[in-house]
Amino acid sequence: MDAPVVAGASTGLRLATRLAAPEPGWTVEADAVVVGSGIAGLTAALELRTRVPRVLLVTKDRLYSGSTVWAQGGIAAALAPDDSPAAHLQDTLVAGAGLCDPRAVEVLVTEGPARVRELVARGAVFDRAPDGRISLTREGGHHADRIAHAGGDATGAEISRALVAQIEAVRDDPGIEVIEHALVLDVLTGPAGPDGRPGPACGVTLHVIGEGSRDGVGAALGRAVVLATGGIGQVFRSSTNPAQATGDGIAAALRAGATVGDVEFVQFHPTVLWLGAGVKGQLTLVSEAVRGEGARLLDTDGVRFMPDVHPMAELAPRDVVAHAIVRQMAATGSDHVWLDARHLGAQFLRRRFPTIHDRLAEHGIDLTTDLVPVAPAQHYHSGGVVTDLAGRTSLRGLYAVGETACTGVHGANRLASNSLLEGLVFAHRAARDIAVKVADGDLPALEPVERAGERALVAAASRSRVQRLASAGPGVLRDGEGLRRAAAGLAQVPTDAHLCHADGRPLADPQVAEWETTNVHQVASVLTAAALEREESRGGHARSDFPSPDEAWRLRLELTLEPDGTVRSRHTPVE
């Protein structure tokens, strides 16, 4: 069937264009403001430091707290003599289920190897083979050994260590300032255009938890803003993401008028430690690399089921494995399956996966002798703020990199270990583009103006309700009825900053928990709207009422928040 929605059609969803927050009490200025301290944010800040006069790096917690630190498996790049960027490109396109932007993927795979070698030059220590070369392994969807890893299963932690060390080494440089414990609130914009849409990005408002001149709400003004705020894990009841992953960058970009895309494609990692139905928060990931080394999936009857599902069995793309596990759990009436790595040997497992081994041991599970209970949980967001090949969004002066961005690399489903590489490659590109534009005067310093539209604030107490609705609606397996229920429920969550209890007390006060919950609510709302609109199954979007992919839907679904609060959708063909 033909995709029914035309360009600029209303989704029926309305959202506020600003957060309810105090006016900024202080101001700091820079040529570029980078928000986030994962691999993308740290790389962008380091590259910009040598290219523009002044950089401000803002992070929600400590520098070392970005999502990158949790990455276990590794970083994918065609480094082996018998591998090639062309082969990496092909595997990425297959995993993306027809929705990758081939131009973006080509950039990723051709520039990736050089960027990884630069990481080594910055001090990252990868595991080495006996011949001294970087040791490479394989993960789901890859047809070659191209996953570089560090510390066995602590790749993200090592990359973060190396990049943070580079930042710390230049802390005293007057050309860079770091503000920790700072939550980005809204993207500041300049004068609106003749069409009434917001003007260029010219900074952000921040809330800093601290003391001295940089505490409370302030304004960080910049010629360019780079959003590298990570994922949306806390939209769901259970996720492998850290507590900071509340979709802040996506929500702030959306409120500023930037276009978001592919938001319906959520990757649920197939093998997350299952500890019971009531467990919430960040869950323990059992890396895909364990299956890459030969671990098998068994149902609760002890039957291996993946060979009957896909030719690559346990190493099929993640969406295939996650959906197969959910269906197998339904068939056996269980709430988990088993991961069996016992045949790989105790010595090998302790050496190759020390972090996973120790984390499982904390829960009384021995990876070397026990079956490990696992089930899918939210892991990665393939969509985000739509960018071009230089990280530029639809809003002039606003850039997005890493998981916050939708570069077109991942399409409908991210290929394993492409995420760290994407953050690395496109952060370099964004930094170079900003430097050129700052030098040429193409990104002038602007004074922010107040945007039209409503202000929103959702009570922190509503977060569990939002998470329940998101998990039941746009969860692992979706259908129209469930999505409509979720949309209706989300629309009923109070978002008015002026609402009060019967005794006159405010329903919510402007503070971190409320701002984060507002972001979670807005992201959950646009995610649900997009999932309801896409009437097919593809990659990380699986609908039981439309179980097959439809060629008419081989397009990117883009959403934009208009100044009047209306969310409109547009269909963009994929080449």
Side-chain angles (χ1 to χ4, degrees):
M1 92 178 180
D2 292 333
V5 181
V6 298
S10 173
T11 62
L13 177 63
R14 291 185 62 85
L15 297 174
T17 60
R18 295 172 292 167
L19 289 177
E23 291 299 312
W26 51 268
T27 301
V28 60
E29 296 182 7
D31 293 286
V33 179
V34 180
V35 186
S37 62
I39 188 172
L42 292 171
T43 298
L46 287 167
E47 288 297 312
L48 283 163
R49 176 189 159 265
T50 61
R51 299 171 188 269
V52 300
R54 181 165 173 78
V55 179
L56 175 66
L57 174 60
V58 176
T59 184
K60 193 172 180 178
D61 198 335
R62 302 297 298 273
L63 273 180
Y64 191 68
S65 66
S67 293
T68 295
V69 74
W70 299 99
Q72 295 176 344
I75 184 167
L79 298 169
D82 58 349
D83 196 8
S84 69
H88 189 184
L89 182 145
Q90 183 59 30
D91 285 344
T92 301
L93 294 180
V94 170
L99 289 192
C100 296
D101 180 343
R103 300 167 302 172
V105 179
E106 185 173 5
V107 165
L108 179 85
V109 300
T110 55
E111 297 182 9
R115 298 287 88 85
V116 172
R117 293 185 181 101
E118 288 172 4
L119 261 184
V120 175
R122 289 192 188 276
V125 180
F126 288 96
D127 296 336
R128 298 280 175 169
D131 64 2
R133 294 178 178 175
I134 292 177
S135 180
L136 301 171
T137 190
R138 191 174 305 198
E139 292 184 355
H142 292 272
H143 285 80
D145 292 342
R146 64 169 68 99
I147 313 301
H149 48 85
D153 56 0
T155 309
E158 171 56 20
I159 290 173
S160 291
R161 181 205 63 76
L163 294 177
V164 168
Q166 293 275 309
I167 294 287
E168 294 289 2
V170 297
R171 278 267 200 166
D172 295 333
D173 186 334
I176 186 168
E177 179 180 354
V178 176
I179 302 181
E180 297 180 308
H181 303 293
L183 169 67
V184 63
L185 301 180
D186 274 313
V187 174
L188 294 170
T189 51
D195 59 355
R197 295 192 56 75
C202 57
V204 294
T205 49
L206 303 168
H207 175 76
V208 180
I209 306 170
E211 298 179 355
S213 61
R214 298 281 188 269
D215 65 322
V217 175
L221 304 182
R223 301 172 188 270
V225 174
V226 182
L227 296 176
T229 53
I232 64 168
Q234 298 310 312
V235 167
F236 296 88
R237 293 184 67 185
S238 58
S239 171
T240 63
N241 291 187
Q244 299 96 316
T246 49
D248 305 327
I250 292 177
L254 184 72
R255 288 192 295 269
T259 298
V260 301
D262 288 343
V263 291
E264 65 270 35
F265 296 113
V266 180
Q267 189 172 87
F268 293 85
H269 198 287
T271 51
V272 177
L273 180 64
W274 184 85
L275 294 172
V279 175
K280 299 179 182 179
Q282 185 178 10
L283 302 183
T284 298
L285 174 69
V286 183
S287 171
E288 188 142 351
V290 179
R291 283 176 283 132
E293 296 291 357
R296 303 163 185 152
L297 288 168
L298 311 176
D299 65 21
T300 49
D301 294 330
V303 176
R304 187 183 180 199
F305 54 91
M306 280 308 301
D308 294 332
V309 175
H310 193 278
M312 296 182 73
E314 282 83 3
L315 291 180
R318 285 180 177 174
D319 61 310
V320 175
V321 181
H323 299 157
I325 288 174
V326 170
R327 293 186 177 100
Q328 200 70 15
M329 291 191 310
T332 58
S334 178
D335 41 24
H336 70 280
V337 297
W338 300 110
L339 182 68
D340 185 5
R342 297 172 297 178
H343 57 286
L344 299 179
Q347 183 177 0
F348 171 79
L349 288 171
R350 291 194 187 100
R351 173 177 55 81
R352 178 68 178 84
F353 303 111
T355 306
I356 295 172
H357 179 275
D358 292 348
R359 287 180 184 166
L360 292 177
E362 293 172 1
H363 298 285
I365 299 169
D366 188 337
L367 180 64
T368 68
T369 60
D370 296 334
L371 293 171
V372 181
V374 294
Q378 193 281 337
H379 180 59
Y380 190 84
H381 191 208
S382 295
V385 188
V386 174
T387 71
D388 64 8
L389 300 183
R392 294 178 292 224
T393 73
S394 62
L395 201 63
R396 184 169 177 77
L398 182 65
Y399 293 71
V401 291
E403 192 172 354
T404 307
C406 175
T407 62
V409 159
H410 305 307
N413 180 47
R414 174 179 69 99
L415 180 64
S417 288
N418 267 358
S419 51
L420 292 178
L421 192 69
E422 182 200 30
L424 192 62
V425 167
F426 287 91
H428 273 262
R429 287 185 145 245
R432 289 198 297 266
D433 190 76
I434 291 169
V436 170
K437 285 183 165 45
V438 168
D440 292 347
D442 290 342
L443 290 175
L446 298 173
E447 285 295 320
V449 300
E450 185 170 334
R451 280 200 302 275
E454 298 177 355
R455 295 174 181 261
L457 194 66
V458 177
S462 297
R463 188 183 298 194
S464 60
R465 176 181 174 187
V466 173
Q467 291 172 328
R468 263 195 325 272
L469 290 164
S471 299
V476 183
L477 292 176
R478 307 161 176 178
D479 61 60
E481 182 179 353
L483 290 166
R484 282 186 285 273
R485 281 199 304 267
L490 290 166
Q492 292 171 0
V493 173
T495 62
D496 193 330
H498 304 291
L499 287 177
C500 295
H501 293 281
D503 61 4
R505 290 180 297 111
L507 194 65
D509 292 316
Q511 55 190 340
V512 171
E514 271 68 24
W515 291 319
E516 287 185 326
T517 302
T518 308
N519 290 335
V520 165
H521 177 262
Q522 290 194 330
V523 172
S525 297
V526 295
L527 166 59
T528 303
L532 183 58
E533 185 169 326
R534 182 175 287 275
E535 295 182 334
E536 66 159 355
S537 289
R538 187 187 296 266
H541 170 71
R543 286 187 58 163
S544 59
D545 49 349
F546 295 96
S548 301
D550 185 338
E551 187 63 17
W553 279 100
R554 202 172 76 81
L555 49 82
R556 176 183 290 164
L557 179 56
E558 298 181 345
L559 300 174
T560 306
L561 180 61
E562 300 294 327
D564 65 358
T566 301
V567 177
R568 296 189 178 276
S569 68
R570 179 176 64 249
H571 294 171
T572 302
V574 176
E575 296 182 4

